[in-house]
């Protein structure tokens, strides 16, 4: 599993991690826990969750998976915008810590932009950092104007990452968000990297191109898709898997690198389109 420096934190984190959105709804909870643990065995030790996911149920599931292995994990959770006030964010973080069974998060993110001023949220994050409850903090679903405002509040070296919707069918972040983050040493983390029930059909033109690129590496189409999304330094992805077979497939992309010609072929097969007025999110 390739490791990369995670933005301004200076810490090396696996290029592929594990998401947990809807994981609490898996029919087989024990299987979902086993999948997370198998992912850790395979080097996918960046685990992402949020207080929103199942109203904390996903955090509890992640906590079960990492029990006895907390030191192996780069653990991330997210606070809802409605809980992003100075006191409320501290309380929300403490609830997340209890659900996860740990005393510290490696990164704590504002899930999306809300009505609470960023200055207030970031003061809460600084309070949590000073108290040893988080090691770093960042944001999610921030477009460039939001990132610029955050940067004006914080200055350099504070914002660890921006977690965004990014998959072959939704490449809006490539227009401005990824370049901005690259220039400011902010990690970009792709959530829903296979799309939300929208992975390219193998009979489509894009699906055929993806399959051919994958076959050249003895890989699967999903592995090739992950390799495309993480083709540059500073890019990470957190695919979710509720079965050990799926997590093994995801982990197989951890060392896969596409050639420039293959990247160009997928770029043509999945055009990013014009820059939208608003950054897509789900």
């Amino acid at each position: 599993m390739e490791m990369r420096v995670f933005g301004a934190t200076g810490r090396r984190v696996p290029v592929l991690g594990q998401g947990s959105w809807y994981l609490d709804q898996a029919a087989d909870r024990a299987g979902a826990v086993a999948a997370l643990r198998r992912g850790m065995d395979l080097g996918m030790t960046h685990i992402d969750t949020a207080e929103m996911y199942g109203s904390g149920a996903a955090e509890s599931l992640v906590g079960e998976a990492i029990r006895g292995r907390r030191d192996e994990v780069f653990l991330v959770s997210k606070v809802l915008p409605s809980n992003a006030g100075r006191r409320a964010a501290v309380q929300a973080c403490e609830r997340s810590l209890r659900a996860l069974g740990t005393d510290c998060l490696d990164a704590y993110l504002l899930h999306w932009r809300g009505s609470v001023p960023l200055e207030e949220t970031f003061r809460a994050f600084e309070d949590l950092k000073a108290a040893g409850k988080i090691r770093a903090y960042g944001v999610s679903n921030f477009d460039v104007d939001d990132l610029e405002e955050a940067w004006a509040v914080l200055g350099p070296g504070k914002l660890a990452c921006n977690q965004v919707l990014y998959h072959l069918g939704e490449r809006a972040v490539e227009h401005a968000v990824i370049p901005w983050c690259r220039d400011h040493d902010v990690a970009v983390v792709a959530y829903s990297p296979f799309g939300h029930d929208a992975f390219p059909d193998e009979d489509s033109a894009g699906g055929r191109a993806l399959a051919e690129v994958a076959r050249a590496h003895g890989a699967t189409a999903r592995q090739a898709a992950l390799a495309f999304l993480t083709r540059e330094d500073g890019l990470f992805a957190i695919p979710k898997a509720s079965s050990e077979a799926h997590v093994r497939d995801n982990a197989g992309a951890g060392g896969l690198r596409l050639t420039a010609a293959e990247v160009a072929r997928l770029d043509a097969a999945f055009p990013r389109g014009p820059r939208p007025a608003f950054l897509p999110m789900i």
Side-chain angles (χ1 to χ4, degrees), residues 13 54 69 88 112 121 183 249:
V13 173
R69 302 181 65 174
W112 64 87
T121 301
D183 291 344
D249 187 65

Side-chain angles (χ1 to χ4, degrees), residues 160-180:
C161 67
N162 185 21
Q163 189 182 118
V164 292
L165 177 64
Y166 185 31
H167 57 85
L168 285 172
E170 182 49 78
R171 298 173 57 193
V173 292
E174 294 181 11
H175 286 284
V177 170
I178 288 177
W180 189 97

